[in-house]
Amino acid sequence: MLTEYSDKIRLVNDFTPCADISGRDFWDSLPGELRRELIRNGEASSSFDWKRLSASDYMEFSRTGDRTRYETIYNERRCALDHLVLAECVENKGRFLGDIINGIYFMLEESTWCIPAHNSMIRDAVQDPLPDYDSPVIDIFSGETAAILALTEYLLHPALSEVTPLISRDIDFRLKERIFIPYMNYHFWWMGDGKSQMNNWTVWITQNILLAALTRPDTVLDRETKDEIVKKSIVSIDYFLDEYGEDGCCDEGAQYYSLAALSLYSCLEILDTVTGHVITPVFTEPMIRNIADYIRKVHIDGNYYVNFADCSPLAGRRGALEYLFGKRAHVPELCAFAASDFRADTDRLLPRELSLYRRLLQIICWEEMMSVSVPCSFTAEDCYFKSTGLMTARDDTLFLAVKAGSNGDSHNHNDTGSFIVYRNGKPLFIDLGVETYCRKTFSDRRYDIWTMQSQYHNLPSFGGFLQQAGKYFAASGTSCTLSPSLARISMELSGAYRGIGSGGGWISDEDGSIRQKDGADGLRSFRRTVTFFKNDRIAIEDVYDSALPAVLNLMTDEAPSLTRIDREHFLLSFPGGGTCRICGALSAEVQSIPLTDPRLRTCWGGQVYRIRLKADSRIRLEIS
């Protein structure tokens, strides 16, 4: 898409996100309460304890697989620096400069900006225990650090120069060494080659390299090099866009929209600005408009979003980037949604956000988003995203999402055919999401993790056999119908368990561990049809043709009460309201699953529940 503009793309000016500290008209005009809050955040970060990051801390990931300790200190440093920089820009008294300079040099002195979990030049390879100075790795966090330092230098250049010009010189030295030189001389997988699967890394890193490079004066990075960076970036962006269907669905989910679609917007905005607006028409291309508006379509209620794959159901609040993307893409519903959500956010200054650029945009758009009228409804219509097989539908009480597609998504879970149901904005049948990331999460042992397995989604297993990972393990024969009174999706799901029919597959043992087993009898067919009768009920019907016994698993947030009506009929009743009538189950049980992982506990509290329904050839659920 962008390469079509290659002949027109010429760097005509550098990128200036807003006035630097000397532009007092901007900084002094910010609302008084906003200014006071920025200063309070800076004061809270004054005399910040810049805890050391030792070689032992870095090697802890290689030894134990734990990412938490190193990344916590790493992230806290960057958040503190962001707070201090913005406070100094607002106050302009030099009160925060000492702490800012300390923060700058603590980051410059880090052995690498690449976190231990990403420390490899090769995708999905075993990470090196320590950084290699000869081969700096550009990952998402090194890119973010580069942008933070570059914007810090840009915003505070007049003040830092009064202390000593060596500060700017040292920042630029590290940017060249760790970002610009490797970017121009190495090929990292996230840059794209037409073969590798892209994800949020591509545009997230590209955005930050553009921010770092295009805020440097020509005396630091010459015009020719900047132009080469621009041209290289548009190739990567097009590889990223090649992963999307025309419907704009993000297969990484709502949480990753903030890193994928919004980083795409930043890339386009920066490139459009520095090239004299020659790519402005790209913003209104149908696919770009759909990419922008995806987040509104998968919003459930309040903080809840559709969350298949590694996505959390709590995908964050909307703010300036969504608002600006909606303006440029001419999607007024997205602007209204973003402005409304921004006003409801109690953390509008993004106190835990690493990106200084995103924090700046919140400040720049603050008054507009607080005062803009919201003339239109922003509740999304029912949607079917053909590119991923995702259907969403809603009425005044119930929300339904069903995933067809395949098990080859980015951040995949083996969940093809699973569904999510919310009632009155609260979770009823859920997708758990993912535990805190560790070494196993992105390794060949990924599907040993229980939350990744189909038996912990709203799906059946057959004789203990589970779905398998990869794009070839997919739904087929999918059809979808959407109307004002009804939404229906139907699919054949035996292909997601393909190993069962080809001599083997993944099987779950009684202790919950999974292993590969050969010689299984075949699963001939598994057809699932989900029908949403608006303002009435949701019906889910499974039809199995298998020599193996079926056990349908259902995941819930609340503990349901289970009542047996007769031989094949059960009733689930939920404390918060809602029922599920079950027809065709031979037996039913409710299991309590304690949650110890902090990330899961944030979403679901101390435990979730799994209902296990043994079935023969057919089972039907009616949810209301």
Side-chain angles (χ1 to χ4, degrees):
M1 185 178 290
L2 288 183
T3 49
E4 297 172 13
Y5 293 82
S6 293
D7 292 343
K8 299 178 181 178
I9 291 178
R10 294 288 183 275
L11 189 66
V12 297
N13 50 262
D14 286 334
F15 186 65
T16 54
C18 65
D20 66 23
I21 193 171
S22 64
R24 300 319 304 168
D25 287 346
F26 169 73
W27 292 103
D28 292 342
S29 69
L30 296 177
E33 181 51 39
L34 172 57
R35 289 166 48 82
R36 287 189 289 273
E37 189 172 352
L38 288 168
I39 291 170
R40 284 194 295 267
N41 288 342
E43 290 171 338
S45 294
S46 294
S47 302
F48 177 76
D49 180 9
W50 303 94
K51 297 175 184 175
R52 73 171 189 161
L53 286 170
S54 67
S56 294
D57 293 331
Y58 201 90
M59 290 189 290
E60 184 175 3
F61 176 77
S62 293
R63 290 194 308 266
T64 70
D66 180 72
R67 297 175 54 155
T68 304
R69 174 177 158 72
Y70 186 93
E71 291 182 28
T72 297
I73 298 172
Y74 180 101
N75 292 340
E76 286 174 348
R77 286 181 167 193
R78 284 143 180 82
C79 285
L81 182 62
D82 288 352
H83 285 312
L84 292 163
V85 169
L86 293 173
E88 183 59 35
C89 285
V90 167
E91 191 178 75
N92 193 31
K93 294 179 180 178
R95 183 158 63 112
F96 301 102
L97 274 181
D99 288 310
I100 289 169
I101 294 168
N102 285 337
I104 290 170
Y105 277 88
F106 270 104
M107 290 186 204
L108 295 181
E109 291 161 6
E110 290 172 355
S111 298
T112 178
W113 296 333
C114 173
I115 64 168
H118 300 158
N119 189 36
S120 173
M121 295 292 287
I122 301 172
R123 185 178 194 176
D124 296 331
V126 175
Q127 291 79 14
D128 294 323
L130 286 171
D132 181 352
Y133 292 162
D134 287 336
S135 301
V137 176
I138 303 178
D139 76 327
I140 48 180
F141 290 95
S142 57
E144 195 69 77
T145 301
I148 291 169
L149 288 170
L151 288 173
T152 294
E153 195 282 331
Y154 164 80
L155 291 169
L156 298 180
H157 181 81
L160 295 176
S161 296
E162 288 186 10
V163 178
T164 171
L166 295 179
I167 301 171
S168 296
R169 186 204 67 176
D170 291 346
I171 291 173
D172 291 328
F173 175 84
R174 281 285 190 249
L175 290 174
K176 286 182 180 179
E177 173 192 56
R178 296 184 177 180
I179 301 297
F180 303 142
I181 291 173
Y183 181 75
M184 296 305 298
N185 290 285
Y186 294 110
H187 180 84
F188 296 94
W189 69 264
W190 50 262
M191 293 176 172
D193 57 10
K195 300 174 184 177
S196 302
Q197 185 181 31
M198 299 292 94
N199 61 17
N200 64 83
W201 280 48
T202 301
V203 284
W204 188 1
I205 299 173
T206 299
Q207 159 207 269
N208 284 321
I209 287 173
L210 290 172
L211 282 170
L214 301 180
T215 53
R216 299 304 86 210
D218 292 347
T219 53
V220 173
L221 203 63
D222 62 74
R223 215 72 178 166
E224 183 179 354
T225 303
K226 290 180 189 176
D227 204 51
E228 289 176 11
I229 288 173
V230 165
K231 285 180 165 49
K232 192 166 185 175
S233 73
I234 68 173
V235 174
S236 292
I237 295 166
D238 270 359
Y239 279 129
F240 171 80
L241 290 172
D242 286 345
E243 300 289 319
Y244 277 76
E246 190 73 5
D247 55 31
C249 187
C250 177
D251 72 349
E252 298 178 270
Q255 190 175 16
Y256 288 90
Y257 165 95
S258 297
L259 307 173
L262 297 186
S263 294
L264 169 67
Y265 163 74
S266 294
C267 288
L268 296 178
E269 184 65 37
I270 294 165
L271 289 171
D272 195 46
T273 300
V274 302
T275 58
H277 304 291
V278 298
I279 66 166
T280 294
V282 171
F283 284 100
T284 52
E285 290 281 348
M287 183 170 72
I288 301 299
R289 297 179 78 244
N290 286 333
I291 289 172
D293 203 27
Y294 161 83
I295 194 66
R296 185 179 65 90
K297 297 171 183 175
V298 294
H299 178 241
I300 300 172
D301 191 87
N303 290 335
Y304 287 117
Y305 287 82
V306 174
N307 71 306
F308 297 111
D310 275 353
C311 182
S312 167
L314 304 175
R317 289 287 188 179
R318 305 304 112 204
L321 279 165
E322 291 89 347
Y323 181 79
L324 293 169
F325 204 174
K327 286 182 71 173
R328 293 302 306 270
H330 298 172
V331 185
E333 298 86 354
L334 178 59
C335 294
F337 175 39
S340 176
D341 213 36
F342 173 80
R343 294 176 197 176
D345 191 358
T346 57
D347 286 328
R348 286 189 289 267
L349 282 176
L350 309 179
R352 289 167 293 280
E353 171 62 58
L354 296 188
S355 172
L356 183 54
Y357 180 58
R358 292 190 179 209
R359 293 191 188 210
L360 276 174
L361 291 180
Q362 292 285 96
I363 294 168
I364 293 167
C365 296
W366 187 280
E367 287 188 279
E368 183 175 350
M369 287 192 294
M370 289 297 285
S371 61
V372 67
S373 61
V374 181
C376 60
S377 171
F378 50 76
T379 300
E381 65 279 7
D382 295 350
C383 297
Y384 177 58
F385 299 94
K386 187 176 181 180
S387 66
T388 60
L390 173 64
M391 184 189 84
T392 63
R394 69 186 80 215
D395 63 18
D396 292 339
T397 303
L398 295 172
F399 178 93
L400 169 70
V402 185
K403 175 189 179 295
S406 80
N407 288 333
D409 297 331
S410 181
H411 290 269
N412 177 71
H413 290 196
N414 289 339
D415 60 358
T416 296
S418 191
F419 62 87
I420 297 168
V421 177
Y422 279 59
R423 187 178 187 276
N424 291 327
K426 303 299 181 185
L428 202 63
F429 292 95
I430 65 172
D431 187 295
L432 280 166
V434 68
E435 295 180 320
T436 302
Y437 285 165
C438 64
R439 180 169 55 196
K440 188 188 290 187
T441 310
F442 300 103
S443 74
D444 57 4
R445 296 181 59 202
R446 176 177 176 87
Y447 296 97
D448 290 353
I449 300 172
W450 67 284
T451 57
M452 312 288 189
Q453 300 167 15
S454 56
Q455 63 179 331
Y456 292 100
H457 291 80
N458 298 313
L459 288 164
S461 53
F462 296 92
F465 281 88
L466 312 178
Q467 290 192 7
Q468 300 190 67
K471 65 180 180 180
Y472 298 108
F473 302 98
S476 60
T478 303
S479 64
C480 182
T481 301
L482 300 176
S483 74
S485 61
L486 179 144
R488 175 178 289 136
I489 187 168
S490 181
M491 69 203 84
E492 171 61 43
L493 290 168
S494 57
Y497 303 76
R498 189 180 304 277
I500 297 176
S502 57
W506 289 103
I507 189 167
S508 173
D509 289 328
E510 289 298 322
D511 64 0
S513 62
I514 62 170
R515 58 187 172 86
Q516 199 159 24
K517 181 179 178 181
D518 295 325
D521 293 327
L523 170 63
R524 292 175 288 274
S525 176
F526 163 27
R527 189 86 196 172
R528 169 166 282 182
T529 301
V530 183
T531 307
F532 189 172
F533 300 96
K534 296 298 187 69
N535 300 309
D536 186 4
R537 70 195 187 281
I538 295 168
I540 298 163
E541 185 164 31
D542 290 353
V543 179
Y544 314 127
D545 182 4
S546 172
L548 299 165
V551 176
L552 175 59
N553 305 285
L554 300 173
M555 304 300 299
T556 68
D557 177 37
E558 294 183 321
S561 62
L562 175 64
T563 305
R564 185 161 200 157
I565 299 173
D566 57 34
R567 182 175 177 273
E568 293 189 357
H569 292 80
F570 295 83
L571 177 67
L572 294 173
S573 301
F574 294 89
T579 61
C580 176
R581 297 182 179 275
I582 302 162
C583 176
L586 304 178
S587 66
E589 65 171 326
V590 178
Q591 299 175 340
S592 173
I593 302 175
L595 299 179
T596 58
D597 178 76
R599 187 166 179 173
L600 291 180
R601 288 177 68 91
T602 297
C603 299
W604 309 115
Q607 57 189 353
V608 293
Y609 302 88
R610 180 168 70 156
I611 298 98
R612 289 174 60 78
L613 306 172
K614 291 186 179 179
D616 187 5
S617 61
R618 183 187 300 266
I619 194 165
R620 180 180 175 88
L621 313 176
E622 292 197 348
I623 303 165
S624 59

